[in-house]
Amino acid sequence: MDKNKTPLHIGLIMDGNGRWAKKRLMPRSYGHNAGMNAMIKIAEHAKMRGVKYLTVYTLSTENLNRPQEELDGLYGLFRKYFNKNIQKLYKSGAGVKVIGDISVLPDDVQNLLADGEKNSPENSGFTLIFAINYGARSEILRAVNLAIEKGEKLDKGAFDSLLYTDGIPDPDLIIRTGGEMRLSNFLMYQAAYAELYFTDVLFPDFGKAELDKAIEEYSKRERRFGKI
Ligand code: FPP
């Protein structure tokens, strides 16, 4: 496969954990735990394939309305990942970044996420970006309000620097598992020219071969960015 056709940045909407658990007569938290394990494998494989940025949609602004029990389960997974699993990522030379408004999360989780970013190796060749309490509409509104505070008209570059994704190239490919075909408020501004890939596979079942399939499909797409 043409190396140039490897997406530099993949966005991943990890949908289907709840249904995956339900099929096994297990609670939703069981599905999220399986989803975290799938995410870890996908991040390793993406890095191996030459992808430089992987943004994972772990919690949307809308998800915050879910039952407290489910949210507590997700916060538990953040604790697990950022206390333990992250070491393997660091050892491989990769780092993490967080996008979204994390100020509403429990204090210890906020501290763990901040440490996770702070301790990331500089100039890492791969960055795993966690979108947490992230929503594109909130992100854009936040940037607009920051622009108003500045009191001057902005060009695209200046506006981009007010987004959470400042310094991160736009996603080339957005993958959504779980059968739905929509963006659900994920990177809507940055996804202007992203290729979209949808699969019915539930996220915990989304393995290396599934990622290869998505990259293969991406490599066959002709990207014109509005030109002929
Ligand atoms: C959507 O599926 C998924 C989420 C709201 C959470 C995704 C989180 C993970 C995969 C774990 C991430 C890793 C860390 C470190 C926290 P859903 O449960 O809404 O699925 P459904 O549509 O089948 O109900």
Side-chain angles (χ1 to χ4, degrees), residues 14 44 55 79 82 89 95 103 136 165 182 193 200 206-207 211 214 216 225:
M14 307 182 288
E44 283 171 3
T55 301
R79 291 187 181 98
F82 281 84
L89 189 86
S103 67
T165 49
R182 52 177 171 259
Y193 282 99
D200 287 338
F206 189 82
L211 180 67
E216 170 89 35
F225 299 95

Side-chain angles (χ1 to χ4, degrees), residues 14-20 28 31-33 35-36 39 57-60 63 66 70 74 77-78 81-82 130 180 202-203:
M14 307 182 288
D15 199 10
N17 296 338
R19 279 165 284 163
W20 185 90
R28 296 178 60 81
H32 291 318
N33 190 59
M36 182 179 86
M39 183 210 77
Y57 205 9
T58 40
L59 194 67
S60 70
N63 289 157
R66 290 201 175 181
E70 181 169 351
L74 283 167
L77 290 181
F78 291 136
Y81 185 87
F82 281 84
F130 287 87
E180 311 287 359
L202 302 176
F203 187 65

Side-chain angles (χ1 to χ4, degrees), residues 198-222:
F198 300 102
T199 170
D200 287 338
V201 174
L202 302 176
F203 187 65
D205 292 329
F206 189 82
K208 294 177 185 177
E210 298 294 336
L211 180 67
D212 285 340
K213 229 158 79 182
I215 294 177
E216 170 89 35
E217 161 82 27
Y218 167 85
S219 74
K220 291 184 193 146
R221 303 255 181 106
E222 191 196 345

Side-chain angles (χ1 to χ4, degrees), residues 85-149:
N85 306 83
I86 200 169
Q87 298 306 332
K88 198 171 167 203
L89 189 86
Y90 288 160
K91 274 202 189 111
S92 76
V96 300
K97 184 173 163 59
V98 177
I99 59 172
D101 174 15
I102 62 165
S103 67
V104 299
L105 305 183
D107 286 346
D108 70 307
V109 176
Q110 288 185 47
N111 292 336
L112 275 174
L113 299 175
D115 286 348
E117 285 187 310
K118 208 168 62 204
N119 299 330
S120 288
E122 271 181 45
N123 305 320
S124 69
F126 178 81
T127 308
L128 180 58
I129 302 160
F130 287 87
I132 303 174
N133 191 22
Y134 171 87
R137 288 178 173 175
S138 307
E139 176 183 40
I140 293 165
L141 275 172
R142 175 179 168 271
V144 167
N145 285 322
L146 289 170
I148 290 169
E149 276 171 28

